[in-house]
Amino acid sequence: IFEFIKEIEGVEFGDALKILATKAGVELKRENPQLVSERKRLYEICELSCSFFQKQLEGSEWGKKAKDYLLKRGIKEETIKKWRLGYSPDTWQGLSDFLVGRGYNRDEIIKAGLAVKSEKGNNPYDRFRGRIIFPILDLNSQPIGFGARIFKEADKKETAKYINTPQTMLYDKSNVLYGINFAKTAIRKNGQCVLTEGYTDAIMCHQTGFENTVAVSGTALTPRHLNLLKRYTDNLLLAFDMDLAGDSATKRGINLAESQGFNLKIIDTYSGAKDPAEIILENPKNWEESEKNARGIMDYYFDSAFAKHNKRTPG
């Protein structure tokens, strides 16, 4: 049964053991009990917070506006529920006070990455305020962190468009791929993985039927990301934005993935569209064609070079 779980879930023996133990209600006791207890409480905090954000999206005034925005971006109602999208109220301690009321202390909320210590010595304040929330789920679909997109127009000029949970006991951005919990079976079935940049890119791909898609979610591709993908496939299609930053990220990703033995192709985000989500919203068939016509590495390098320079001159 362990081999079966390893094959189906694409995990190593230790992870297969944890999955089966959880299903059987068996507590594994090899770890330090104090650390196990702390990790368990952080999981509980993340789960409660995820539910809190979901409820705010459905029930609060600004949450409903955020939901309307998501629907206009082409994200369907059932997709919002599947990916557990939410909204963080624009209050300093709304989430923190809710969690304290559920029996968790403010230090634990900080350790979960959901609150920030106040420099003025006051109670910690919520990290995410007035933002659309994208829960980051582990291989077992448990919330371990959050990405948050700015929503209120008045704030957009002054703050970062996206902020994320910092590194915690549960969440390490260099080892987490957004959507891998939903994508792992499709990656193995299709024999390849499409790697995008953003949350909405992955969500829109899945919604349209391209379920072998994951996102790096605003961080650089790392060897640990590739080790995770290696469990499922050796074939990788990179679909980063084709602006200057995306071009640089693509070239870094090519070098890193080649060094680990992946077979690589590059998806061209064409016709001026900024990202895969926009291409899909315009016409899903265009994205299907982009995947089918993914270029080899050398073609990509030549096209990238000719796009910046005059190919008719010796220089």
Side-chain angles (χ1 to χ4, degrees):
I1 189 169
F2 288 104
E3 291 300 320
F4 176 76
I5 293 295
K6 284 170 64 178
E7 286 295 317
I8 292 297
E9 299 290 344
V11 296
E12 300 300 325
F13 177 80
D15 292 322
L17 181 61
K18 291 176 184 176
I19 291 170
L20 290 169
T22 300
K23 290 183 180 295
V26 175
E27 183 179 354
L28 300 177
K29 299 180 179 179
R30 292 177 58 183
E31 294 183 88
N32 183 320
Q34 184 176 349
L35 292 178
V36 171
S37 177
E38 184 177 356
R39 185 179 288 110
K40 181 174 181 292
R41 287 179 69 83
L42 294 184
Y43 271 120
E44 291 170 356
I45 287 171
C46 287
E47 175 59 40
L48 275 173
S49 299
C50 189
S51 297
F52 175 85
F53 293 139
Q54 286 180 277
K55 192 172 180 73
Q56 293 295 318
L57 186 73
E58 298 293 335
S60 70
E61 179 185 354
W62 275 97
K64 290 176 181 177
K65 292 179 181 180
K67 184 176 180 180
D68 287 341
Y69 167 81
L70 291 170
L71 293 171
K72 288 176 183 177
R73 286 288 303 269
I75 301 175
K76 297 178 181 178
E77 182 89 34
E78 57 268 29
T79 303
I80 291 173
K81 291 179 180 177
K82 175 183 176 180
W83 293 77
R84 304 189 67 182
L85 305 186
Y87 179 75
S88 57
D90 194 10
T91 58
W92 287 100
Q93 294 168 335
L95 173 64
S96 295
D97 289 345
F98 166 76
L99 292 169
V100 169
R102 291 299 187 97
Y104 300 94
N105 64 58
R106 296 188 188 273
D107 283 341
E108 289 177 312
I109 301 168
I110 292 172
K111 287 181 179 179
L114 288 159
V116 180
K117 285 184 178 180
S118 172
E119 294 180 0
K120 298 178 181 179
N122 300 325
N123 279 335
Y125 56 88
D126 292 349
R127 181 177 299 276
F128 307 123
R129 303 182 306 281
R131 291 176 177 265
I132 295 171
I133 299 295
F134 297 84
I136 300 168
L137 311 178
D138 66 11
L139 281 167
N140 298 316
S141 296
Q142 292 182 280
I144 56 173
F146 300 89
R149 185 194 189 280
I150 197 72
F151 179 62
K152 289 189 174 182
E153 290 291 338
D155 298 331
K156 288 185 179 180
K157 293 181 181 179
E158 300 178 5
T159 56
K161 184 176 180 181
Y162 282 94
I163 58 175
N164 301 294
T165 298
Q167 183 158 324
T168 68
M169 182 179 286
L170 302 182
Y171 175 70
D172 180 351
K173 66 180 181 180
S174 67
N175 197 36
V176 174
L177 290 166
Y178 184 71
I180 189 67
N181 56 311
F182 297 128
K184 56 188 179 183
T185 301
I187 292 171
R188 179 176 283 118
K189 181 179 178 181
N190 285 272
Q192 64 183 18
C193 175
V194 178
L195 189 62
T196 65
E197 282 194 65
Y199 302 111
T200 54
D201 294 331
I203 289 171
M204 289 294 286
C205 283
H206 278 251
Q207 180 177 278
T208 314
F210 305 101
E211 295 183 348
N212 59 324
T213 306
V214 297
V216 293
S217 308
T219 188
L221 185 64
T222 71
R224 292 172 71 187
H225 288 145
L226 293 169
N227 287 339
L228 177 59
L229 290 173
K230 200 78 170 177
R231 300 177 185 178
Y232 307 101
T233 185
D234 290 323
N235 302 309
L236 197 59
L237 277 66
L238 299 183
F240 294 157
D241 298 350
M242 285 300 130
D243 55 14
L244 182 60
D247 189 47
S248 298
T250 299
K251 289 173 180 174
R252 287 195 303 270
I254 287 172
N255 294 336
L256 195 57
E258 275 195 312
S259 71
Q260 295 200 22
F262 281 88
N263 304 310
L264 285 169
K265 288 188 176 181
I266 313 300
I267 296 177
D268 181 18
T269 50
Y270 65 100
S271 69
K274 294 179 180 178
D275 53 46
E278 288 187 4
I279 295 174
I280 290 170
L281 185 59
E282 183 182 284
N283 187 343
K285 289 186 178 179
N286 290 343
W287 182 246
E288 184 177 4
E289 286 301 311
S290 292
E291 283 203 20
K292 287 181 180 178
N293 297 324
R295 297 172 290 170
I297 295 171
M298 290 308 298
D299 288 332
Y300 165 74
Y301 276 128
F302 275 109
D303 291 345
S304 177
F306 289 151
K308 300 171 188 173
H309 305 286
N310 184 356
K311 61 185 177 183
R312 297 183 181 277
T313 65

